[in-house]
Each structure stands twice: as C-alpha cells, then as structure tokens.
Amino acid sequence: MVYKVRVILDSKESVFRDIEIKEKQTLWNLHLGVKSAFSLQGDELSMFTILDDEGIEIKSVPLEDMSDDGDGEIMSDVYLMEAFQKVGDKIQFQYGLIDLWEFFCELVEIIDEKPAVNYPITVFRFGNVPLKAPGKSGGSGKSVMAAAFLDDDFTDLDSDFKEDFDDEFADDEEDDGYGDDFVDEADED
C-alpha cells in the first residue's frame, strides 16, 4: 500500500505538497521526500514529532541519535505504518536549527501501489516556497530571532563603553604607545 501524505508548511501563505510513499518505507524516506518537495538545501538536523488525535506529542524521532547511551530511536527505525496508523493521523516535521522550517504532515489517503514508480514522489504542489524559513510571525526565522535579542538597552552600549574606556585608560606619559621595558642585548655589550 502507498500512503498519500499532505505536508503543509507552517507559514502565512498556503504552501503544501502531497507526497506518495510506501507504507513500509521509513520516516527517513519521508524526510527525503519533504526535502525534495520543498527544495530544502543542505543536510540540516531534523525531527519528526508523532502526535495523538488531540495533537499531543507521543514521541519525537530525530534524524540522528542524540542519546547518551547511543540506542535512541531514529528516523530510519520507524516505518510509516507505525507513524501513521489510520487516515487523519498527523505528525510534525522540523527541519534545520537556526533557519527552522516547520511542517505539518497528515495521512490523507491510502492507495494501491503503482508499478514502476520510485517512491517517495511528489504528486501535487500548491503555493510557492519562500526563499527563507518562515518564522512564527510569517517573516524570516532569522529576523524574528534577531528581534528577540535586540533591545533598547543595548543600542548605545558601544558608545557607553568607548567613553568609559577613553576616560579611564588615557595615558599621556608614554611616547611609543607600548610601554614595554625590554633590555636590548646589543646595548649591554
């Protein structure tokens, strides 16, 4: 059987893709399908979060094992038929660390496998993918993060330090600017 998964980008604009993938493929294969469908570049860290019917997190499945003991479950360990047990089941996908792309995935249909098709495959595209990861406010993820760190308290910080530095450490006594007291061996002879 083949699962048709609708993958919706979390953004202000409506952007989604329908991806068909075999039920016996893993979340790692779906990860590759989402990257291809949305033209995501690079090999960023990513994670699927499996949700229950009310949208509460059941478990998180990362791309790579980050556990201390090295035996954590990763994407290549979880088959699609385990993540999606029935039509309507949902999981969340996050791609990237600094530029965080967030997607909501829903199993919309279970269909028969078509011969000579290399799954996963994108079968429907709607909307244009933005050039940068959309933030929660719909803008660039970087600008949202930067805005959180910019505060009026820091705007004049550089000029405050410069004034303090100039006043505290001004030394008119030194001519060469270094103040080093080295003895030249050639002068001692």
Side-chain angles (χ1 to χ4, degrees):
M1 301 304 294
V2 171
Y3 286 2
K4 182 183 281 188
V5 178
R6 176 151 297 158
V7 183
I8 304 167
L9 176 63
D10 186 13
S11 67
K12 282 185 176 181
E13 304 297 321
S14 295
V15 181
F16 66 89
R17 307 289 186 257
D18 287 348
I19 299 172
E20 290 182 357
I21 184 168
K22 293 180 188 178
E23 68 179 344
K24 293 188 178 181
Q25 289 182 294
T26 64
L27 288 177
W28 182 77
N29 298 107
L30 181 57
H31 154 84
L32 295 177
V34 172
K35 278 183 59 178
S36 174
F38 287 90
S39 302
L40 299 175
Q41 303 298 314
D43 292 320
E44 301 289 331
L45 291 176
S46 57
M47 177 177 63
F48 281 100
T49 303
I50 300 174
L51 308 171
D52 67 7
D53 292 337
E54 284 108 39
I56 298 171
E57 179 180 331
I58 296 174
K59 69 177 174 180
S60 294
V61 184
L63 176 63
E64 297 177 13
D65 186 9
M66 303 281 188
S67 65
D68 291 335
D69 52 7
D71 63 351
E73 192 171 46
I74 60 174
M75 288 182 195
S76 59
D77 295 335
V78 179
Y79 291 97
L80 255 358
M81 60 187 169
E82 296 169 342
F84 294 109
Q85 296 179 353
K86 64 185 181 315
V87 172
D89 282 355
K90 297 174 178 73
I91 61 176
Q92 183 180 10
F93 178 64
Q94 295 177 324
Y95 181 79
L97 185 63
I98 306 272
D99 292 326
L100 182 63
W101 296 82
E102 293 186 275
F103 302 90
F104 299 100
C105 309
E106 180 180 0
L107 178 61
V108 293
E109 189 177 6
I110 301 174
I111 58 176
D112 292 326
E113 185 175 340
K114 299 172 188 149
V117 173
N118 189 18
Y119 295 100
I121 186 171
T122 304
V123 295
F124 184 75
R125 297 174 188 269
F126 183 86
N128 295 320
V129 178
L131 295 175
K132 294 183 179 181
K136 288 292 183 189
S137 63
S140 164
K142 279 187 180 176
S143 63
V144 171
M145 283 182 57
F149 290 108
L150 291 178
D151 187 22
D152 290 338
D153 296 338
F154 296 113
T155 55
D156 294 324
L157 194 60
D158 186 45
S159 62
D160 290 344
F161 276 119
K162 185 172 179 161
E163 288 172 12
D164 290 344
F165 182 80
D166 289 341
D167 292 339
E168 253 179 69
F169 297 104
D171 190 1
D172 296 330
E173 294 178 15
E174 294 193 30
D175 295 332
D176 63 358
Y178 295 106
D180 297 331
D181 294 328
F182 291 111
V183 178
D184 190 6
E185 291 178 15
D187 291 341
E188 287 182 10
D189 293 334

